[in-house]
Amino acid sequence: MNYRNIQEIWRQEIGSQLRQIRLNKKQPISFVAKQLKFPVDWIDIIECGGRLSLKKYYRLINYYRKKIHIQLMD
């Protein structure tokens, strides 16, 4: 596994969790985008695990007041 694969897996995993959080809170994507002053497309890209800067992922994670826990597994 190389660095690019790790980034891709990380983004997909975090993105799907962020989408689920938004849906559980019943917040439209446009509302979240407006709160963060992000284009709606960015929220969608993040939730799909797309390539945006990790800083943008962090801002969305912080918006939901969540933390990241990393665990190594066999």
Side-chain angles (χ1 to χ4, degrees):
M1 183 174 290
N2 64 32
Y3 179 72
R4 291 242 186 253
N5 289 346
I6 292 170
Q7 275 190 327
E8 199 171 304
I9 291 167
W10 187 90
R11 284 185 170 109
Q12 288 172 357
E13 191 66 33
I14 297 296
S16 67
Q17 290 181 42
L18 290 169
R19 179 183 302 266
Q20 194 58 51
I21 291 167
R22 181 179 59 78
L23 294 174
N24 289 345
K25 290 180 174 280
K26 298 181 177 159
Q27 294 181 341
I29 200 167
S30 58
F31 175 80
V32 175
K34 187 175 181 180
Q35 295 297 310
L36 292 171
K37 298 180 179 152
F38 278 2
V40 172
D41 292 350
W42 284 5
I43 304 297
D44 190 47
I45 290 167
I46 290 169
E47 290 182 351
C48 292
R51 287 187 176 217
L52 280 180
S53 74
L54 297 179
K55 186 175 183 179
K56 290 175 180 66
Y57 276 79
Y58 175 75
R59 282 194 50 204
L60 187 54
I61 292 164
N62 194 42
Y63 170 75
Y64 291 127
R65 295 187 174 115
K66 299 297 180 183
K67 295 180 181 180
I68 297 172
H69 174 81
I70 299 173
Q71 181 177 1
L72 298 175
M73 299 172 60
D74 288 333

